[in-house]
Amino acid sequence: MKALLNVYSKIMDVIDKILRVIVGIAMVVMVIVIFYQVILRYVFNASNIWSEELARYLMCYSVLLGAAIAVRKYSHLQVDFVINMLPARGRCIAVSLCTLVGIGFLGFFCQYGITLCATTGHSISAGTGLPMSVAYACLPIGSVLMILMSVEVILRELVKFQELGHKKKGVQA
């Protein structure tokens, strides 16, 4: 199990690095576009139709891709009062079960996102001229990435559960 976790974690490390670069670039572009829009509007008393829309789409992608990074690092806001009261092996089980419930939700979220992309593929965004399916693609992309990261969380918890069991028996893992 630990060997599987190590291989999977290395794959997730690569995906994590790529996501961090994409989110970083998206945030920089978003700030530049918003700054451009503010200067255009308040200094030159003019505006354009694409900047606000592009910034909104970049924000959506940043949030959902960033959420995948946060899943991997246990960085989401959570109420862990009850989980912290459990013994160590019980915490592993509770975290794994909660993560499985999250994967179930993300499955529905992904399905909804795919349906939304399919039904809006013919619609074109007024400002950017992109198909609306590009804007909505952040939903299935983000949910699939969160599912992949959640699988790593579960694998980590199972390895921890196994190691705690070996320590309890006095066996070195």
Side-chain angles (χ1 to χ4, degrees), residues 119-138:
T119 58
T120 61
H122 63 281
S123 301
I124 302 296
S125 165
T128 60
L130 294 171
M132 289 305 296
S133 58
V134 172
Y136 293 129
C138 63

Side-chain angles (χ1 to χ4, degrees), residues 86-149:
L86 296 172
R89 290 187 87 195
R91 274 193 301 267
C92 293
I93 292 170
V95 168
S96 296
L97 289 175
C98 289
T99 305
L100 277 173
V101 170
I103 288 173
F105 168 77
L106 289 167
F108 286 115
F109 191 69
C110 182
Q111 181 182 2
Y112 174 74
I114 290 169
T115 303
L116 194 58
C117 287
T119 58
T120 61
H122 63 281
S123 301
I124 302 296
S125 165
T128 60
L130 294 171
M132 289 305 296
S133 58
V134 172
Y136 293 129
C138 63
L139 301 173
I141 292 169
S143 59
V144 166
L145 289 168
M146 284 186 263
I147 289 170
L148 291 173
M149 299 299 182

Side-chain angles (χ1 to χ4, degrees), residues 1-158:
M1 177 82 73
K2 194 168 188 172
L4 175 65
L5 173 62
N6 289 337
V7 170
Y8 195 79
S9 289
K10 286 181 182 178
I11 294 168
M12 291 298 106
D13 286 342
V14 172
I15 292 172
D16 187 82
K17 286 178 185 173
I18 292 169
L19 286 177
R20 288 175 185 271
V21 169
I22 291 170
V23 169
I25 291 170
M27 294 296 288
V28 168
V29 170
M30 186 174 55
V31 168
I32 291 169
V33 166
I34 291 171
F35 181 73
Y36 165 75
Q37 175 68 6
V38 168
I39 296 298
L40 196 63
R41 183 171 291 170
Y42 293 108
V43 174
F44 297 107
N45 201 23
S47 65
N48 57 30
I49 58 173
W50 59 267
S51 60
E52 183 181 336
E53 199 170 271
L54 178 62
R56 186 178 327 124
Y57 297 159
L58 288 170
M59 176 62 84
C60 292
Y61 273 92
S62 297
V63 166
L64 287 161
L65 298 180
I69 295 167
V71 166
R72 186 170 193 232
K73 304 292 181 196
Y74 296 112
S75 297
H76 282 287
L77 183 64
Q78 58 186 341
V79 179
D80 53 4
F81 174 74
V82 175
I83 290 176
N84 287 338
M85 290 178 20
L86 296 172
R89 290 187 87 195
R91 274 193 301 267
C92 293
I93 292 170
V95 168
S96 296
L97 289 175
C98 289
T99 305
L100 277 173
V101 170
I103 288 173
F105 168 77
L106 289 167
F108 286 115
F109 191 69
C110 182
Q111 181 182 2
Y112 174 74
I114 290 169
T115 303
L116 194 58
C117 287
T119 58
T120 61
H122 63 281
S123 301
I124 302 296
S125 165
T128 60
L130 294 171
M132 289 305 296
S133 58
V134 172
Y136 293 129
C138 63
L139 301 173
I141 292 169
S143 59
V144 166
L145 289 168
M146 284 186 263
I147 289 170
L148 291 173
M149 299 299 182
S150 295
V151 168
E152 183 185 17
V153 168
I154 291 172
L155 287 174
R156 263 190 272 161
E157 292 299 323
L158 292 176

